[in-house]
Structures are given as C-alpha cells and as structure tokens.
Amino acid sequence: MALDLKDIRKQLDAIDDQMISLFSQRMNLSAQVAEYKKQTGMPILDTGREREIINRVSLAAGEDFEHYAKLMYQTLFNVSRDYQAKKLRPSSPLMETLEKAAANVEKKIPGRALVACQGTEGAYSQKICDQMFEFADILYMNTFNDVFNAVEKGMCPYGILPIENSTAGSVTQVYDLMEKHHFHIVRAARQRIEHRLLALPGTDMKGIREVVSHEQALRQCSAFFAANPQIKATAMENTAVAAAYVAHSGRKDLAAIASQECEALYGLETLSDTVSDTLNNSTRFICITKDLKVYEGANKISLMLSAAHRPGSLYRLLSHISVMDVNLTKLESRPMPGKDFEFRFFFDIEASILDPDVRSLICQLKQDSDQFVFLGNYEEMK
C-alpha cells in the first residue's frame, strides 16, 4: 500500500533534520579549511577541487538527479565561500578602499557647488540639480560625455546625468559612457517628467510638420507620433536646447517637446500638455564625483562588472547577493565593444558599506568577476 502524504512528509522531515546537521558540520569544516588557506596564503576559491566534487556527487546521484545534484552543490560552494569570506574578511585593495570610505563618511553633500549638467537652462538636468543642491552654480555641457569629462578632469566637483526613464527605459548612451570614465555616484533622485508640446505663439497644431527634442523624450511620446504620422521627429541634444531652437527658428510648422519651464523661459506657447505616453513618467538621475565619497544616509550601492564567459558565471554572482538576503533593485546588461555576445552588467543593491558583511559581499563579487568597478554607495532622494 502506498504511503499517505502525512507519512511521506514525516520521512522528509527526518531527512531534513539529518541534512541540516550535516550542513552545519560541513560549514564548520569549511571555515577550518579557510583558516588553513589564510595561513598558507592559498586563495579561498579552488575551482579544481569544486569540479572534482561535482563530478563525484553527480555520478553518485545517478542519471535522473545528476543535474540537480550539480546545481545543489554549486549553491553549496557559493554559500561556503561567502561564509569563509565573512569569517576571514581577507584584505585586498578593494577592501581597504571600502573600509577607508566607511570610516570617513561625510555628513551631507555641500549645499553650494559647481555642477556640470548637459543641456541649457530649463533642462530636466537643471531641475534635478536645483533639487540636489541648494545653491548650484551650473556649468552647461553639450553632451553627456562632456559631463563625465568635466568631473573626471576636475573642472567640476559634481555632475548630473539621467540614467533611466520609467517609460523609455535606460539611457543607454550614459551606460555606455560609464565604461570609459572614472567616477563615483554620490546621490540619485527621480524627477517627474511632464512633457509639453511647445511652439511659437500663434502656431496652429494642424500645421506642425516637425517636432524636435532629446531622443529619450521622443521615445517617451511614441503614441503621439503614431497618432500623427505626418509629423517628423528630430532628435536634438536636449529638451531645453530643442525649445531654444524653436524659439529662434521663426517657423510655424515646428514644435518642441520640453518642460513647462521652457515655455516661459523661451517665450513659447503650449499646444498640448499631454504628449507623454503615460502620466506617470519619471526619470532617475545620478550625481557623480571623481573620488569615492560616502554621505550619511547612503543606502544604495551600484556596481559595474563582467562575468566570466562560461556557463553559470552570472548565477554565481547572483547567488552571493541571494545568500546575503540583499535586495537587488536593478540588473542592466550592455554589450562589451569588440566582444561578440559578451556583456557588462550593472547592479544596484540596497545596502551600505558601513556593514562589514556588505563589504565582504562586494569583495566576493569582485573575486568572481573578470572586471569589476565599485561605482558608489549613495542615498536615493525621494
């Protein structure tokens, strides 16, 4: 007679009790191995040993369970290495950098600063800059690359950049530039985006044949262009630049998608205040500096890394985060130039380097990455 569910679960509970006891024993022995490796200068990671164990246990598990056994032991190895790193906290240049930053947390970002922003007066970057800094002296740049350069070369201590939009997604140009510059994120904030269709006073909506704006703004208003196929969409450097262009064009067949502030700033008139695809449209901006700085209230960490080009590499990285019970809020991938089907990943996690376990996690992620950059620990303003 087949066992009923109650009896089966009773047996499972008994096996679980044995497994957790054996797991605890294994973790204690793993810590002893780590201590030995520390004393002898051996690395925590031993891929040859792990491969040997996986081959042995998967063979013992049999054909039906060999893949499940492999997955279980890969997870077990990740947990074991994280525990070893937590117990030993091995020193490294990255660990020293993080510990120094954690020991020198600054109270707040200065209220008065020189800040690089892309665009011109009336741009959304300018609005978020005024939100982040009480007295901002803004140096306007033509491109996002110019903002990075201004900060990296010391022209401006801070820079403002858009990074993602709730409708159009990531600002890929900024993500691609991140790979080419040395910088750190010190703050982030979200700005509600209220796109308006602006034109010279007296312009008739029916006569509009071209609309100019930033490419992200054009994408955020795709439904408008789908409903008006006779209107050409032309990308420009910035929404405010587009508004200024319309103001000086003298054309009554031209309009710009820009903010309400640009209407008064450039003497334009609103033809429509509902051109966005959604009313709940917002853009996330970051504030960058050249050197690593951490301010009080920092609760988010951004990382840039590339996983080894072999099966399971990304899973291994994600498992470190899962073991720590840290909330992963963003995972963005971008193709690596010159490498077919290889990607660089951008991680956002909710954590602080003031926590020693988080510092160990970051160092463990670096160890399992081909390339790794700590982008910053910062507060995201509400």
Side-chain angles (χ1 to χ4, degrees):
M1 179 182 292
L3 294 174
D4 62 20
L5 182 59
K6 184 177 180 180
D7 290 334
I8 294 173
R9 285 177 172 172
K10 187 175 181 180
Q11 291 186 37
L12 287 173
D13 289 343
I15 293 172
D16 287 340
D17 290 342
Q18 296 177 54
M19 288 179 65
I20 196 63
S21 176
L22 292 171
F23 172 75
S24 297
Q25 293 178 47
R26 194 186 195 286
M27 292 294 282
N28 286 327
L29 289 172
S30 180
Q32 293 179 39
V33 170
E35 184 61 39
Y36 174 83
K37 289 181 177 179
K38 180 181 180 181
Q39 294 176 4
T40 57
M42 296 172 64
I44 290 177
L45 176 63
D46 186 342
T47 55
R49 170 66 174 165
E50 291 185 2
R51 186 183 304 107
E52 176 189 331
I53 295 173
I54 286 177
N55 287 340
R56 174 168 55 83
V57 298
S58 61
L59 181 63
E63 187 175 350
D64 284 348
F65 305 125
E66 61 181 1
H67 295 293
Y68 300 107
K70 179 180 180 180
L71 178 60
M72 182 178 74
Y73 270 81
Q74 285 176 332
T75 303
L76 181 60
F77 292 149
N78 287 332
V79 170
S80 178
R81 286 198 304 274
D82 287 342
Y83 179 63
Q84 292 175 21
K86 178 180 177 180
K87 294 287 287 185
L88 299 181
R89 304 201 191 284
S91 181
S92 68
L94 176 59
M95 178 63 81
E96 292 172 4
T97 297
L98 297 177
E99 289 178 340
K100 182 179 179 181
N104 294 279
V105 173
E106 300 183 29
K107 285 193 174 296
K108 62 179 181 178
I109 287 182
R112 193 180 300 273
L114 179 62
V115 186
C117 290
Q118 189 266 344
T120 188
E121 198 72 18
Y124 289 108
S125 292
Q126 173 252 305
K127 294 178 65 177
I128 206 72
C129 179
D130 288 338
Q131 181 180 331
M132 290 186 179
F133 297 90
E134 188 175 3
F135 303 103
D137 186 6
I138 301 177
L139 189 60
Y140 288 109
M141 302 289 167
N142 290 327
T143 66
F144 296 141
N145 191 57
D146 291 338
V147 174
F148 277 110
N149 281 328
V151 172
E152 190 172 13
K153 295 177 180 179
M155 185 185 305
C156 296
Y158 297 96
I160 302 292
L161 292 159
I163 194 169
E164 62 180 322
N165 176 264
S166 59
T167 301
S170 297
V171 185
T172 55
Q173 185 181 358
V174 173
Y175 272 104
D176 290 343
L177 288 168
M178 283 182 173
E179 303 175 16
K180 302 176 183 179
H181 293 279
H182 174 78
F183 70 98
H184 292 90
I185 304 172
V186 292
R187 179 164 284 183
R190 294 182 183 272
Q191 171 71 55
R192 184 178 180 186
I193 305 299
E194 297 178 326
H195 291 313
R196 294 189 171 213
L197 189 66
L198 306 179
L200 291 172
T203 299
D204 187 345
M205 177 67 188
K206 295 179 181 179
I208 297 298
R209 291 296 176 267
E210 183 180 11
V211 171
V212 294
S213 193
H214 188 270
E215 61 178 352
Q216 275 275 324
L218 297 174
R219 288 169 57 190
Q220 293 160 25
C221 302
S222 59
F224 168 80
F225 290 104
N228 296 276
Q230 77 281 6
I231 297 179
K232 175 186 176 183
T234 302
M236 301 194 75
E237 298 93 336
N238 187 272
T239 55
V241 169
Y245 175 76
V246 171
H248 296 99
S249 69
R251 293 170 53 185
K252 293 297 185 73
D253 65 339
L254 179 68
I257 293 175
S259 67
Q260 181 180 2
E261 285 78 4
C262 287
E263 179 181 8
L265 193 61
Y266 297 106
L268 300 176
E269 183 178 88
T270 296
L271 297 183
S272 175
D273 58 3
T274 58
V275 288
S276 295
D277 291 346
T278 174
L279 296 178
N280 187 26
N281 185 17
S282 63
T283 295
R284 182 176 177 232
F285 290 81
I286 55 173
C287 178
I288 65 171
T289 62
K290 180 179 180 180
D291 300 320
L292 175 60
K293 295 181 180 180
V294 179
Y295 296 97
E296 286 186 356
N299 56 7
K300 180 167 285 190
I301 291 172
S302 290
L303 309 168
M304 177 172 64
L305 52 88
S306 60
H309 193 48
R310 57 176 180 268
S313 295
L314 181 58
Y315 166 78
R316 176 174 290 180
L317 294 170
L318 293 173
S319 69
H320 292 308
I321 297 173
S322 178
V323 166
M324 283 289 296
D325 197 26
V326 170
N327 187 26
L328 176 66
T329 59
K330 184 177 178 66
L331 174 56
E332 176 82 13
S333 65
R334 295 294 301 153
M336 297 176 66
K339 296 186 178 182
D340 290 340
F341 302 106
E342 293 190 39
F343 297 86
R344 183 168 283 115
F345 298 95
F346 296 85
F347 285 61
D348 284 353
I349 60 175
E350 291 181 344
S352 169
I353 61 170
L354 296 182
D355 184 342
D357 290 343
V358 171
R359 297 198 294 268
S360 294
L361 166 64
I362 293 169
C363 291
Q364 192 67 35
L365 290 172
K366 177 178 174 23
Q367 182 176 309
D368 283 348
S369 305
D370 277 0
Q371 297 177 336
F372 181 94
V373 179
F374 179 78
L375 295 178
N377 187 190
Y378 55 94
E379 177 185 13
E380 180 146 339
M381 300 172 63
K382 302 300 182 182

